[in-house]
Amino acid sequence: MYWQLISKGLPPVTLSQAKEFSRIDTANDDVVVQMLIDSCTELGEKLLSKVMRLTMYSGEVESCAGGFSIHKAVVQSVDEISYLDNGVVVIIDPVNYTLKKSKQLASVASAGDYAFPVGITLTVAITCDVDDELLPQVQQAVLHHVNFLYENRGDVSAVDSLSMPLESKLFYNDNKVVRV
């Protein structure tokens, strides 16, 4: 199953939060700080193998009557399920299915007497977000990383592409998704 990225929301940390955390009083470096926030969020998502902000995806699944699984962490909602019937897009009414969520996997089950069409490809649009329990830790990891990079922005010897403070490393190591 391949999920195509549709859109990404705002990073888990705002510019004002990062400036306050890093004790930056001037607006001169706002562009630099915002780029650091975006970069640290992207790197964090790669290291964790999960989203750290509201993210929308679209993908295709093989249909079966009872439902299907979505192998994405922290699925918040199924925004649309559709399929082609003789060249016409048919959108399945949301009352005909339910979303069952868990930390690593979500599943969509048919509701009531409804059965998904069998043997066809369904196009599914989903929204994922950071786990509410992890949000404060995600924010702290990004804030520490942004502060570290900002403070060391002129020191090439102290910073390489994967340099980060211990607080961020520990969070990412403790919370990454391990695929087996």
Side-chain angles (χ1 to χ4, degrees), residues 126-141:
I126 61 172
T127 299
C128 300
D129 202 357
V130 65
D131 186 344
D132 290 338
E133 295 173 15
L134 281 183
L135 183 58
Q137 295 166 297
V138 164
Q139 290 172 322
Q140 285 299 306

Side-chain angles (χ1 to χ4, degrees), residues 69-96:
S69 295
I70 301 172
H71 296 273
K72 277 289 205 200
V74 197
V75 175
Q76 294 295 327
S77 65
V78 173
D79 304 316
E80 182 177 281
I81 302 175
S82 62
Y83 62 94
L84 282 177
D85 184 17
N86 293 322
V88 176
V89 175
V90 177
I91 298 173
I92 299 174
D93 190 333
V95 299
N96 290 325

Side-chain angles (χ1 to χ4, degrees), residues 63-180:
S63 175
C64 66
F68 53 89
S69 295
I70 301 172
H71 296 273
K72 277 289 205 200
V74 197
V75 175
Q76 294 295 327
S77 65
V78 173
D79 304 316
E80 182 177 281
I81 302 175
S82 62
Y83 62 94
L84 282 177
D85 184 17
N86 293 322
V88 176
V89 175
V90 177
I91 298 173
I92 299 174
D93 190 333
V95 299
N96 290 325
Y97 57 86
T98 59
L99 173 65
K100 296 177 183 174
K101 304 184 231 181
S102 71
K103 291 209 184 270
Q104 301 298 326
L105 178 71
S107 62
V108 175
S110 55
D113 294 335
Y114 182 78
F116 287 105
V118 179
I120 63 167
T121 301
L122 298 174
T123 301
V124 182
I126 61 172
T127 299
C128 300
D129 202 357
V130 65
D131 186 344
D132 290 338
E133 295 173 15
L134 281 183
L135 183 58
Q137 295 166 297
V138 164
Q139 290 172 322
Q140 285 299 306
V142 171
L143 287 170
H144 281 284
H145 198 183
V146 167
N147 182 56
F148 173 80
L149 292 174
Y150 182 80
E151 291 296 321
N152 294 289
R153 66 191 179 281
D155 187 359
V156 177
S157 64
V159 179
D160 63 30
S161 62
L162 292 176
S163 291
M164 69 178 66
L166 181 61
E167 296 89 346
S168 299
K169 282 183 186 175
L170 291 174
F171 171 75
Y172 296 135
N173 286 335
D174 291 345
N175 291 286
K176 67 181 160 189
V177 174
V178 178
R179 308 231 189 260
V180 288

Side-chain angles (χ1 to χ4, degrees), residues 2-18:
Y2 173 75
W3 291 99
Q4 177 182 351
L5 177 68
I6 301 299
S7 69
K8 285 189 177 188
L10 298 173
V13 172
T14 65
L15 178 63
S16 61
Q17 288 172 317

Side-chain angles (χ1 to χ4, degrees), residues 15 18-19 24 26-40 146 149-151 153-154:
L15 178 63
K19 286 176 66 174
I24 301 169
T26 178
N28 295 345
D29 289 339
D30 284 2
V31 172
V32 172
V33 174
Q34 188 61 56
M35 287 188 330
L36 292 174
I37 293 168
D38 294 339
S39 296
C40 292
V146 167
L149 292 174
Y150 182 80
E151 291 296 321
R153 66 191 179 281

